[in-house]
Amino acid sequence: MRLVERVHAALSRAAAATGCDLFDEPIVLGISGGPDSLALLHAIRSIRRHEGLIVAHLDHGLRPGSAGEASIVAAEAGDLRFYSERVDVAGMARARGLSVEEAGRQARYDFLADAAEREGASAIMVGHHADDQAETILMHLLRGSGLAGLAGMREASPLAGHDGLWLVRPLLNATRNEIESYCAWHSLNPIIDTSNADPAYFRNRIRHELLPRLETYNPQIRQRLRHMGEVIAADEDLLRDLTQSYWAAIVLSESENMIELNRESWLALPLAMRRRTLRQALGRLQPDQRDTGFETLESARSVAERGETGSTATLPGGSWLSVDYGKLLIGNGPAVENSRYPRLLSDEAMTLPVPGEIALTEGWRLTAERIDDIDRQAITTNDDMWTAYVDTGLSELVVRPRKRGERIRPLGLGGETKVKEIMIDRKIPAAARGRWPIVATEDHAVWIAGHVLDERARVGRESGSVVRLRCFRQVDAPRG
């Protein structure tokens, strides 16, 4: 079957699996300019309408001359919408304590996801191929992965950390040789990435050293690895569905930064399910976290099974497991000192009456009062981070936790910023972010309590009256 026909068949399968119309809806193509991505771009353009095709190119800043490659890819994109960005991946790796490879992966998918969000696309396509699949499975085998890793990459899978966004790999059944032949036949001129030969990178050593050596034992080793991945993928799908049925029976509550499990019910699970549900809890809290080691997970399982109340275990990415009364608590980020930060009592949005108040945790409260006698000087010079003044022209106010991917327009800064990024920049503890109180209208956030006011809530010259918002602990209640 010709490569274009394989890509067409792959899109049909992915469309059925994802529910996305990949032949008509907007999609983002991650194009590096190498043989695989150029072949993908060329094949996709021959299959579906061009409107809605978005080309996105990320320069990792790792090679001399890489900055000029964006213009080459832009030329290949032609009349298609084009996004390009440069990221200091090496600096990102140092700052986050990651390998350069992992930092590059995170930077790339974050960039592609951002392009998809801007364009209203529900799918991203990349040029991973059959040889990449064999290398990936072997890498996971060497790292001691579980079944999910040994299954390798999927033709279509949710993009971790980005709800509602799918990652599609239409070339996963095409080999590197087939792709290079396709490029030569169609006179495509791919960029040659010299870093792909650098033995400093783990994948390159797999590609250029280990796999050729294994081929002396079995010339079909790449195909055998891919076949093994297909068998394991089917088994993993069955076990995943079974895990979900067990999960529903043991989970007590779940938020962005905390999961509570019924310990007695969890202890009654088969060993395989105890391991899988712990791994699932960590995956929900840390969707970008990969390769959780066997020893780490087993240590947490041991604490969960035999630990006394208050016993804790450390998990990757700053997460932790703690034994509570009849519960297992799995948290994301450092444990919160309960009284230091305001947090909502639940994940439900609550109407904020004016005048009125809402009770938060540990004696914290959020109040609203109408101010008819406006002292504009006092509003302008207000330096109390826990007090905010908003225009009463706003619609009904509610207090709620942040929404995934939510943005706010910080007063006086211009433009929009993700609420999550503000919380990180303001050093709000990760475990407190999920239920940090946000005052909002039906349409947008108004005030991240204690931190940022939205430009759309600014008190201006035309404001007839204002609402004063305050967030405080009862013991520190403001007077007057």
Side-chain angles (χ1 to χ4, degrees):
M1 185 185 296
R2 296 187 306 115
L3 187 138
V4 171
E5 293 171 345
R6 289 193 215 175
V7 171
H8 191 284
L11 290 192
S12 296
R13 291 191 296 270
T18 64
C20 302
D21 185 352
L22 300 178
F23 296 94
D24 190 63
E25 293 180 2
I27 58 172
V28 172
L29 301 172
I31 306 298
S32 67
D36 46 2
S37 64
L38 275 195
L40 174 65
L41 175 59
H42 188 274
I44 293 294
R45 293 178 89 155
S46 69
I47 289 172
R48 56 155 284 169
R49 69 186 186 96
H50 292 185
E51 185 180 354
L53 285 179
I54 301 101
V55 173
H57 172 81
L58 182 67
D59 174 15
H60 292 70
L62 295 173
R63 292 178 289 109
S66 64
E69 293 171 2
S71 60
I72 298 175
V73 176
E76 292 289 346
D79 60 349
L80 303 183
R81 290 183 62 78
F82 179 70
Y83 285 88
S84 178
E85 189 172 300
R86 181 181 175 89
V87 174
D88 179 9
V89 167
M92 175 181 168
R94 289 191 298 271
R96 298 185 182 182
L98 302 171
S99 68
V100 171
E101 292 165 291
E102 179 62 18
R105 188 192 71 85
Q106 290 186 13
R108 186 185 189 205
Y109 286 132
D110 284 347
F111 164 68
L112 294 175
D114 190 57
E117 182 179 342
R118 294 184 193 180
E119 294 290 336
S122 55
I124 292 167
M125 292 188 189
V126 293
H128 292 139
H129 50 71
D131 291 86
D132 291 329
Q133 178 76 304
E135 294 162 9
T136 297
I137 292 171
L138 189 51
M139 288 171 66
H140 284 303
L141 179 64
L142 293 175
R143 289 169 172 164
S145 170
L147 292 183
L150 296 180
M153 298 178 286
R154 302 300 184 97
E155 208 166 53
S157 59
L159 183 59
H162 300 278
D163 286 351
L165 191 56
W166 290 89
L167 184 63
V168 180
R169 301 177 173 96
L171 297 177
L172 206 53
N173 289 315
T175 67
R176 182 178 288 113
N177 286 338
E178 290 171 328
I179 289 170
E180 290 175 351
S181 296
Y182 180 90
C183 288
W185 179 261
H186 291 281
S187 301
L188 303 180
N189 297 303
I191 296 166
I192 303 303
D193 184 350
T194 56
S195 68
N196 286 333
D198 187 347
Y201 297 118
F202 184 41
R203 180 179 287 273
N204 288 346
R205 295 199 300 276
I206 296 286
R207 177 180 303 164
H208 300 297
E209 298 173 9
L210 183 55
L211 272 169
R213 183 67 179 270
L214 290 175
E215 284 175 326
T216 66
Y217 291 86
N218 182 349
Q220 302 297 316
I221 185 62
R222 298 171 194 265
Q223 185 176 7
R224 296 292 177 262
L225 286 169
R226 296 197 300 269
H227 288 171
M228 182 186 75
E230 290 179 16
V231 171
I232 292 176
D235 292 346
E236 174 64 17
D237 287 343
L238 176 62
L239 285 170
R240 184 185 58 213
D241 291 343
L242 186 59
T243 302
Q244 289 305 113
S245 65
Y246 281 113
W247 180 263
I250 65 172
V251 67
L252 297 174
S253 69
E254 182 175 356
S255 65
E256 186 178 11
N257 291 299
M258 177 75 75
I259 294 174
E260 298 181 0
L261 304 180
N262 183 306
R263 190 186 185 198
E264 182 178 355
S265 298
W266 180 83
L267 287 170
L269 297 179
L271 173 60
M273 283 299 144
R274 295 201 297 277
R275 286 173 172 154
R276 289 183 69 90
T277 49
L278 288 183
R279 190 179 291 275
Q280 174 157 313
L282 181 60
R284 288 177 180 247
L285 294 171
Q286 298 272 5
D288 290 331
Q289 181 67 41
R290 304 196 303 166
D291 301 326
T292 302
F294 176 81
E295 293 84 0
T296 299
L297 197 67
E298 286 300 280
S299 175
R301 181 176 67 83
S302 178
V303 169
E305 290 176 354
R306 295 187 286 275
E308 301 292 331
T309 298
S311 299
T312 61
T314 300
L315 293 168
S319 294
W320 44 266
L321 176 146
S322 179
V323 179
D324 199 3
Y325 295 99
K327 302 177 183 178
L328 293 177
L329 309 179
I330 301 100
N332 184 25
V336 178
E337 296 177 35
N338 289 339
S339 63
R340 287 187 60 193
Y341 305 102
R343 287 176 295 149
L344 297 165
L345 295 170
S346 74
D347 293 327
E348 299 297 321
M350 297 172 287
T351 299
L352 176 61
V354 182
E357 67 176 39
I358 286 178
L360 307 173
T361 59
E362 300 294 325
W364 282 84
R365 312 191 80 75
L366 198 152
T367 66
E369 57 181 318
R370 193 176 304 280
I371 306 297
D372 294 319
D373 185 11
I374 304 174
D375 184 344
R376 299 189 185 279
Q377 180 65 22
I379 294 174
T380 302
T381 60
N382 172 46
D383 60 0
D384 179 2
M385 62 182 288
W386 296 106
T387 299
Y389 296 87
V390 300
D391 191 317
T392 55
L394 297 170
S395 57
E396 181 182 77
L397 297 175
V398 298
V399 181
R400 57 163 174 79
R402 76 184 189 196
K403 297 179 180 178
R404 190 175 294 277
E406 182 174 24
R407 295 174 178 267
I408 193 171
R409 299 179 187 175
L411 183 65
L413 295 184
E416 290 188 342
T417 305
K418 288 184 178 180
V419 170
K420 178 180 180 180
E421 292 176 358
I422 289 174
M423 290 183 167
I424 293 172
D425 291 343
R426 296 299 184 98
K427 295 183 169 39
I428 296 177
R433 295 173 202 156
R435 288 189 178 176
W436 194 273
I438 293 178
V439 179
T441 66
E442 181 181 356
D443 299 321
H444 61 83
V446 169
W447 186 41
I448 304 174
H451 291 279
V452 171
L453 184 68
D454 190 277
E455 179 72 35
R456 289 162 288 190
R458 175 197 290 271
V459 175
R461 294 183 178 276
E462 304 301 320
S463 301
S465 62
V466 302
V467 169
R468 179 165 59 193
L469 303 173
R470 284 173 165 170
C471 187
F472 56 90
R473 282 192 72 204
Q474 192 63 42
V475 293
D476 302 320
R479 299 180 182 277

